[in-house]
Amino acid sequence: MNKLTVSLSPHVHSGDSIGKNMYGVLIALIPALLCSFYYFGLGAILVTLVSVASCVFFEWTINKYLLKSGRNTVCDGSAILTGVLLAMNVPSNLPLWIVILGALFAIGVVKMTFGGLGCNLFNPALAGRAFLLISFPVQMTTWPKPLQGFATIDGETAATPLSLMKAAIKSGNPDMLDGMPDAVEMMLGNTGGCLGEVSEIAILIGLAYMLWKRIITWHIPVSIILTVFVCFGLLHWANPATFIAPQYELVSGGLLLGSVFMATDYVTSPMSAKGKLIYGVAIGLLTVVIRTWGAYPEGMSFAILIMNAFTPLINNYCKPKRFGEVAKKSK
């Protein structure tokens, strides 16, 4: 008699894999990466190459000699993606030895210490940025002017739109906003800042690609962007002399980069649609609070890292009902 053989789940394979999704995100980053090379020249190229090479080297070395694991996780693309995202979160004139330290912290401390991909509590690239910002605040906040046309490294620096907005809020003097670039320049990326604070159009192209390929869902980026827009819209309505129009907040700093490429990290973000909306709204609120009343002009990185810590609680709260489970009647 033939017996029915039942295998373990999953029974349906969608064709997704870690490597496929990681390289999909890398493809989505290409427009923003090329824009950073165009605006910041050779410095951006060197920082990116050193960051990627360092992340790959540290992951391979730790796997082989410290963990002594037979697994080769370098080829899944996660270390390359961490290197690119770390580079996108630092200025193009950052000394290369500091970039290597950031890569070591991101891979060695934040990722591999917890067991590698899938076990880390915090986004490695963002944690690396936070470590560098706290350890080397002067180097991390010295912003080169956009050069354009793949020019060589230049020593001229400029204030970022976020630093001008922060100065206006702290001083209560709206004249501090006189040096602000217009919205078109900010959308195109012709402003100072990190590599990833360039063309917002390029980042939106990457978002469209990932949504089309179903690499991410709309819940996190849309909830962050709407929350920031509404909150800063209310602040602008209450005090238009000090607080700039909310659309400028959306296209300044790393808000879009963080919303699209950092907050949507599979490992450190909630799994359910409801959890993603809660997570996104909380990140948006924290970003507004830090940008308005915090010490740093940019609040996106710290907001995402704080909510990374709450992701397990959100997953527990938004846990889906088990298949076949009957809802308990309230007494």
PDB file of all heavy atoms in Angstrom, residues 244-268:
ATOM      1  N   ILE A 244      10.742  75.699   8.152  1.00  0.00           N
ATOM      2  CA  ILE A 244      10.619  75.742   6.704  1.00  0.00           C
ATOM      3  C   ILE A 244       9.501  74.826   6.245  1.00  0.00           C
ATOM      4  O   ILE A 244       9.040  73.957   6.998  1.00  0.00           O
ATOM      5  CB  ILE A 244      11.970  75.347   6.064  1.00  0.00           C
ATOM      6  CG1 ILE A 244      12.079  75.883   4.644  1.00  0.00           C
ATOM      7  CG2 ILE A 244      12.175  73.835   6.114  1.00  0.00           C
ATOM      8  CD1 ILE A 244      13.491  75.860   4.107  1.00  0.00           C
ATOM      9  N   ALA A 245       9.028  75.006   5.030  1.00  0.00           N
ATOM     10  CA  ALA A 245       7.952  74.186   4.484  1.00  0.00           C
ATOM     11  C   ALA A 245       8.327  72.707   4.526  1.00  0.00           C
ATOM     12  O   ALA A 245       9.493  72.349   4.325  1.00  0.00           O
ATOM     13  CB  ALA A 245       7.631  74.617   3.058  1.00  0.00           C
ATOM     14  N   PRO A 246       7.356  71.828   4.788  1.00  0.00           N
ATOM     15  CA  PRO A 246       7.684  70.408   5.019  1.00  0.00           C
ATOM     16  C   PRO A 246       8.313  69.711   3.826  1.00  0.00           C
ATOM     17  O   PRO A 246       9.066  68.751   4.001  1.00  0.00           O
ATOM     18  CB  PRO A 246       6.322  69.789   5.369  1.00  0.00           C
ATOM     19  CG  PRO A 246       5.305  70.734   4.830  1.00  0.00           C
ATOM     20  CD  PRO A 246       5.916  72.089   4.943  1.00  0.00           C
ATOM     21  N   GLN A 247       8.043  70.163   2.606  1.00  0.00           N
ATOM     22  CA  GLN A 247       8.642  69.483   1.450  1.00  0.00           C
ATOM     23  C   GLN A 247      10.165  69.609   1.447  1.00  0.00           C
ATOM     24  O   GLN A 247      10.881  68.738   0.934  1.00  0.00           O
ATOM     25  CB  GLN A 247       8.059  70.011   0.141  1.00  0.00           C
ATOM     26  CG  GLN A 247       8.243  71.487  -0.121  1.00  0.00           C
ATOM     27  CD  GLN A 247       7.059  72.310   0.363  1.00  0.00           C
ATOM     28  OE1 GLN A 247       6.341  71.894   1.268  1.00  0.00           O
ATOM     29  NE2 GLN A 247       6.840  73.461  -0.250  1.00  0.00           N
ATOM     30  N   TYR A 248      10.694  70.693   2.041  1.00  0.00           N
ATOM     31  CA  TYR A 248      12.145  70.839   2.130  1.00  0.00           C
ATOM     32  C   TYR A 248      12.739  69.814   3.088  1.00  0.00           C
ATOM     33  O   TYR A 248      13.855  69.339   2.893  1.00  0.00           O
ATOM     34  CB  TYR A 248      12.510  72.254   2.577  1.00  0.00           C
ATOM     35  CG  TYR A 248      12.362  73.290   1.501  1.00  0.00           C
ATOM     36  CD1 TYR A 248      11.169  73.992   1.340  1.00  0.00           C
ATOM     37  CD2 TYR A 248      13.409  73.574   0.623  1.00  0.00           C
ATOM     38  CE1 TYR A 248      11.025  74.946   0.345  1.00  0.00           C
ATOM     39  CE2 TYR A 248      13.281  74.532  -0.372  1.00  0.00           C
ATOM     40  CZ  TYR A 248      12.074  75.212  -0.503  1.00  0.00           C
ATOM     41  OH  TYR A 248      11.939  76.153  -1.501  1.00  0.00           O
ATOM     42  N   GLU A 249      12.002  69.505   4.148  1.00  0.00           N
ATOM     43  CA  GLU A 249      12.478  68.493   5.101  1.00  0.00           C
ATOM     44  C   GLU A 249      12.557  67.121   4.434  1.00  0.00           C
ATOM     45  O   GLU A 249      13.453  66.324   4.732  1.00  0.00           O
ATOM     46  CB  GLU A 249      11.542  68.429   6.316  1.00  0.00           C
ATOM     47  CG  GLU A 249      11.567  69.662   7.205  1.00  0.00           C
ATOM     48  CD  GLU A 249      12.801  69.715   8.099  1.00  0.00           C
ATOM     49  OE1 GLU A 249      13.573  68.736   8.106  1.00  0.00           O
ATOM     50  OE2 GLU A 249      12.981  70.729   8.789  1.00  0.00           O
ATOM     51  N   LEU A 250      11.633  66.839   3.531  1.00  0.00           N
ATOM     52  CA  LEU A 250      11.613  65.525   2.886  1.00  0.00           C
ATOM     53  C   LEU A 250      12.803  65.323   1.966  1.00  0.00           C
ATOM     54  O   LEU A 250      13.291  64.200   1.817  1.00  0.00           O
ATOM     55  CB  LEU A 250      10.306  65.342   2.092  1.00  0.00           C
ATOM     56  CG  LEU A 250       9.005  65.314   2.889  1.00  0.00           C
ATOM     57  CD1 LEU A 250       7.832  65.047   1.961  1.00  0.00           C
ATOM     58  CD2 LEU A 250       9.053  64.262   3.992  1.00  0.00           C
ATOM     59  N   VAL A 251      13.253  66.389   1.317  1.00  0.00           N
ATOM     60  CA  VAL A 251      14.324  66.240   0.327  1.00  0.00           C
ATOM     61  C   VAL A 251      15.689  66.650   0.881  1.00  0.00           C
ATOM     62  O   VAL A 251      16.656  66.766   0.132  1.00  0.00           O
ATOM     63  CB  VAL A 251      14.011  67.062  -0.948  1.00  0.00           C
ATOM     64  CG1 VAL A 251      12.775  66.537  -1.635  1.00  0.00           C
ATOM     65  CG2 VAL A 251      13.858  68.548  -0.624  1.00  0.00           C
ATOM     66  N   SER A 252      15.781  66.855   2.184  1.00  0.00           N
ATOM     67  CA  SER A 252      17.057  67.226   2.798  1.00  0.00           C
ATOM     68  C   SER A 252      17.570  66.085   3.659  1.00  0.00           C
ATOM     69  O   SER A 252      16.802  65.276   4.184  1.00  0.00           O
ATOM     70  CB  SER A 252      16.899  68.495   3.650  1.00  0.00           C
ATOM     71  OG  SER A 252      15.998  68.261   4.706  1.00  0.00           O
ATOM     72  N   GLY A 253      18.897  66.027   3.794  1.00  0.00           N
ATOM     73  CA  GLY A 253      19.492  65.001   4.642  1.00  0.00           C
ATOM     74  C   GLY A 253      19.281  63.601   4.104  1.00  0.00           C
ATOM     75  O   GLY A 253      19.079  63.376   2.914  1.00  0.00           O
ATOM     76  N   GLY A 254      19.303  62.644   5.017  1.00  0.00           N
ATOM     77  CA  GLY A 254      19.174  61.241   4.624  1.00  0.00           C
ATOM     78  C   GLY A 254      17.792  60.670   4.833  1.00  0.00           C
ATOM     79  O   GLY A 254      17.656  59.444   4.992  1.00  0.00           O
ATOM     80  N   LEU A 255      16.763  61.513   4.819  1.00  0.00           N
ATOM     81  CA  LEU A 255      15.409  61.022   5.090  1.00  0.00           C
ATOM     82  C   LEU A 255      14.964  59.984   4.067  1.00  0.00           C
ATOM     83  O   LEU A 255      14.521  58.893   4.431  1.00  0.00           O
ATOM     84  CB  LEU A 255      14.418  62.195   5.115  1.00  0.00           C
ATOM     85  CG  LEU A 255      12.977  61.776   5.428  1.00  0.00           C
ATOM     86  CD1 LEU A 255      12.831  61.424   6.891  1.00  0.00           C
ATOM     87  CD2 LEU A 255      11.987  62.855   5.046  1.00  0.00           C
ATOM     88  N   LEU A 256      15.078  60.312   2.792  1.00  0.00           N
ATOM     89  CA  LEU A 256      14.632  59.363   1.770  1.00  0.00           C
ATOM     90  C   LEU A 256      15.536  58.142   1.714  1.00  0.00           C
ATOM     91  O   LEU A 256      15.055  57.017   1.553  1.00  0.00           O
ATOM     92  CB  LEU A 256      14.566  60.048   0.404  1.00  0.00           C
ATOM     93  CG  LEU A 256      13.354  60.948   0.151  1.00  0.00           C
ATOM     94  CD1 LEU A 256      13.368  61.462  -1.287  1.00  0.00           C
ATOM     95  CD2 LEU A 256      12.050  60.213   0.408  1.00  0.00           C
ATOM     96  N   LEU A 257      16.842  58.331   1.824  1.00  0.00           N
ATOM     97  CA  LEU A 257      17.758  57.191   1.827  1.00  0.00           C
ATOM     98  C   LEU A 257      17.433  56.242   2.976  1.00  0.00           C
ATOM     99  O   LEU A 257      17.357  55.017   2.790  1.00  0.00           O
ATOM    100  CB  LEU A 257      19.198  57.674   1.952  1.00  0.00           C
ATOM    101  CG  LEU A 257      20.259  56.562   2.015  1.00  0.00           C
ATOM    102  CD1 LEU A 257      20.422  55.890   0.655  1.00  0.00           C
ATOM    103  CD2 LEU A 257      21.604  57.112   2.493  1.00  0.00           C
ATOM    104  N   GLY A 258      17.214  56.800   4.165  1.00  0.00           N
ATOM    105  CA  GLY A 258      16.880  55.967   5.306  1.00  0.00           C
ATOM    106  C   GLY A 258      15.534  55.286   5.169  1.00  0.00           C
ATOM    107  O   GLY A 258      15.380  54.109   5.508  1.00  0.00           O
ATOM    108  N   SER A 259      14.538  56.011   4.656  1.00  0.00           N
ATOM    109  CA  SER A 259      13.196  55.449   4.511  1.00  0.00           C
ATOM    110  C   SER A 259      13.161  54.301   3.520  1.00  0.00           C
ATOM    111  O   SER A 259      12.457  53.309   3.721  1.00  0.00           O
ATOM    112  CB  SER A 259      12.217  56.543   4.053  1.00  0.00           C
ATOM    113  OG  SER A 259      12.182  57.607   4.965  1.00  0.00           O
ATOM    114  N   VAL A 260      13.923  54.432   2.437  1.00  0.00           N
ATOM    115  CA  VAL A 260      13.850  53.459   1.344  1.00  0.00           C
ATOM    116  C   VAL A 260      14.816  52.298   1.548  1.00  0.00           C
ATOM    117  O   VAL A 260      14.435  51.130   1.381  1.00  0.00           O
ATOM    118  CB  VAL A 260      14.140  54.156  -0.003  1.00  0.00           C
ATOM    119  CG1 VAL A 260      14.203  53.134  -1.144  1.00  0.00           C
ATOM    120  CG2 VAL A 260      13.067  55.198  -0.293  1.00  0.00           C
ATOM    121  N   PHE A 261      16.065  52.576   1.945  1.00  0.00           N
ATOM    122  CA  PHE A 261      17.088  51.539   1.939  1.00  0.00           C
ATOM    123  C   PHE A 261      17.516  51.056   3.321  1.00  0.00           C
ATOM    124  O   PHE A 261      18.078  49.960   3.424  1.00  0.00           O
ATOM    125  CB  PHE A 261      18.330  52.034   1.191  1.00  0.00           C
ATOM    126  CG  PHE A 261      18.117  52.205  -0.284  1.00  0.00           C
ATOM    127  CD1 PHE A 261      17.967  53.473  -0.828  1.00  0.00           C
ATOM    128  CD2 PHE A 261      18.047  51.113  -1.123  1.00  0.00           C
ATOM    129  CE1 PHE A 261      17.769  53.644  -2.191  1.00  0.00           C
ATOM    130  CE2 PHE A 261      17.843  51.268  -2.484  1.00  0.00           C
ATOM    131  CZ  PHE A 261      17.704  52.533  -3.017  1.00  0.00           C
ATOM    132  N   MET A 262      17.295  51.848   4.370  1.00  0.00           N
ATOM    133  CA  MET A 262      17.793  51.468   5.687  1.00  0.00           C
ATOM    134  C   MET A 262      16.685  50.931   6.600  1.00  0.00           C
ATOM    135  O   MET A 262      16.835  49.871   7.204  1.00  0.00           O
ATOM    136  CB  MET A 262      18.467  52.668   6.364  1.00  0.00           C
ATOM    137  CG  MET A 262      19.383  53.485   5.468  1.00  0.00           C
ATOM    138  SD  MET A 262      20.836  52.606   4.899  1.00  0.00           S
ATOM    139  CE  MET A 262      21.845  52.624   6.333  1.00  0.00           C
ATOM    140  N   ALA A 263      15.582  51.652   6.663  1.00  0.00           N
ATOM    141  CA  ALA A 263      14.492  51.223   7.548  1.00  0.00           C
ATOM    142  C   ALA A 263      13.824  49.956   7.051  1.00  0.00           C
ATOM    143  O   ALA A 263      13.183  49.240   7.829  1.00  0.00           O
ATOM    144  CB  ALA A 263      13.458  52.343   7.679  1.00  0.00           C
ATOM    145  N   THR A 264      13.939  49.649   5.766  1.00  0.00           N
ATOM    146  CA  THR A 264      13.274  48.476   5.186  1.00  0.00           C
ATOM    147  C   THR A 264      14.110  47.212   5.266  1.00  0.00           C
ATOM    148  O   THR A 264      13.743  46.187   4.675  1.00  0.00           O
ATOM    149  CB  THR A 264      12.925  48.748   3.713  1.00  0.00           C
ATOM    150  OG1 THR A 264      14.119  49.132   3.010  1.00  0.00           O
ATOM    151  CG2 THR A 264      11.912  49.869   3.583  1.00  0.00           C
ATOM    152  N   ASP A 265      15.236  47.259   5.956  1.00  0.00           N
ATOM    153  CA  ASP A 265      16.088  46.082   6.133  1.00  0.00           C
ATOM    154  C   ASP A 265      15.264  44.917   6.668  1.00  0.00           C
ATOM    155  O   ASP A 265      14.552  45.045   7.661  1.00  0.00           O
ATOM    156  CB  ASP A 265      17.226  46.430   7.095  1.00  0.00           C
ATOM    157  CG  ASP A 265      18.103  45.240   7.419  1.00  0.00           C
ATOM    158  OD1 ASP A 265      18.306  44.390   6.539  1.00  0.00           O
ATOM    159  OD2 ASP A 265      18.592  45.162   8.564  1.00  0.00           O
ATOM    160  N   TYR A 266      15.361  43.761   6.015  1.00  0.00           N
ATOM    161  CA  TYR A 266      14.545  42.602   6.396  1.00  0.00           C
ATOM    162  C   TYR A 266      14.754  42.174   7.839  1.00  0.00           C
ATOM    163  O   TYR A 266      13.793  41.860   8.551  1.00  0.00           O
ATOM    164  CB  TYR A 266      14.881  41.401   5.495  1.00  0.00           C
ATOM    165  CG  TYR A 266      14.460  41.530   4.056  1.00  0.00           C
ATOM    166  CD1 TYR A 266      15.234  40.994   3.030  1.00  0.00           C
ATOM    167  CD2 TYR A 266      13.286  42.190   3.709  1.00  0.00           C
ATOM    168  CE1 TYR A 266      14.849  41.101   1.705  1.00  0.00           C
ATOM    169  CE2 TYR A 266      12.898  42.308   2.391  1.00  0.00           C
ATOM    170  CZ  TYR A 266      13.679  41.762   1.389  1.00  0.00           C
ATOM    171  OH  TYR A 266      13.296  41.873   0.082  1.00  0.00           O
ATOM    172  N   VAL A 267      15.995  42.138   8.271  1.00  0.00           N
ATOM    173  CA  VAL A 267      16.316  41.564   9.577  1.00  0.00           C
ATOM    174  C   VAL A 267      15.845  42.454  10.712  1.00  0.00           C
ATOM    175  O   VAL A 267      15.349  41.961  11.733  1.00  0.00           O
ATOM    176  CB  VAL A 267      17.837  41.323   9.691  1.00  0.00           C
ATOM    177  CG1 VAL A 267      18.192  40.750  11.061  1.00  0.00           C
ATOM    178  CG2 VAL A 267      18.312  40.403   8.580  1.00  0.00           C
ATOM    179  N   THR A 268      15.981  43.762  10.556  1.00  0.00           N
ATOM    180  CA  THR A 268      15.765  44.677  11.675  1.00  0.00           C
ATOM    181  C   THR A 268      14.425  45.405  11.613  1.00  0.00           C
ATOM    182  O   THR A 268      14.194  46.319  12.400  1.00  0.00           O
ATOM    183  CB  THR A 268      16.896  45.712  11.729  1.00  0.00           C
ATOM    184  OG1 THR A 268      16.969  46.412  10.471  1.00  0.00           O
ATOM    185  CG2 THR A 268      18.234  45.029  11.971  1.00  0.00           C
TER     186      THR A 268
END
